[in-house]
Amino acid sequence: MKGLTVKEEELMGYFWEKGPLFVKEMLAFYEEPKPHFNTLSTIVRGLEDKGFLAHHTFGNTYQYYPVVSEEDFRKGTLRNVISKYFLSSTYKCNFLGADNKQ
């Protein structure tokens, strides 16, 4: 699973909390100064390219919805951190109950 930027994770939080959304609806979640519509749209399309979102077409607009659950994302993130910082070191981390040496 690809990682997310802080802003991408923030937007995914809205999708996990609210469900399917149009980009225009997301503007209401921000206080002034609100981000530009095109900025949010670019980030959302990036999330779709990474496989986190998909969309339904309504005329000439899209309603986006999450295809990766928050739980799966959290598990994947924790797995990546453990793998990167503990399991790839000279000695495997006993944190996971593994008493293995490389």
Side-chain angles (χ1 to χ4, degrees):
M1 181 179 305
K2 292 185 179 183
L4 298 179
T5 66
V6 172
K7 188 54 94 173
E8 288 173 332
E9 193 170 342
E10 176 186 319
L11 293 184
M12 283 303 300
Y14 294 134
F15 286 103
W16 289 322
E17 182 182 330
K18 309 286 187 185
L21 295 166
F22 294 95
V23 173
K24 189 167 187 150
E25 292 175 311
M26 298 179 77
L27 289 170
F29 304 144
Y30 291 92
E31 295 180 10
E32 294 294 338
K34 294 178 185 285
H36 194 276
F37 174 88
N38 290 346
T39 302
L40 290 181
S41 183
T42 299
I43 297 169
V44 168
R45 284 194 317 272
L47 287 166
E48 186 174 30
D49 290 344
K50 287 183 175 184
F52 285 88
L53 297 175
H55 70 267
H56 296 293
T57 304
F58 292 92
N60 62 353
T61 189
Y62 299 137
Q63 183 183 46
Y64 293 91
Y65 59 92
V67 293
V68 174
S69 71
E70 185 174 15
E71 181 180 348
D72 287 344
F73 173 72
R74 300 268 178 240
K75 285 180 184 176
T77 301
L78 180 59
R79 191 175 305 115
N80 288 339
V81 168
I82 290 170
S83 176
K84 182 176 180 178
Y85 293 104
F86 297 107
L87 299 181
S88 62
S89 63
T90 305
Y91 295 96
K92 289 188 177 181
C93 177
N94 202 8
F95 174 76
L96 296 177
D99 195 16
N100 301 322
K101 294 181 182 178
Q102 286 184 331

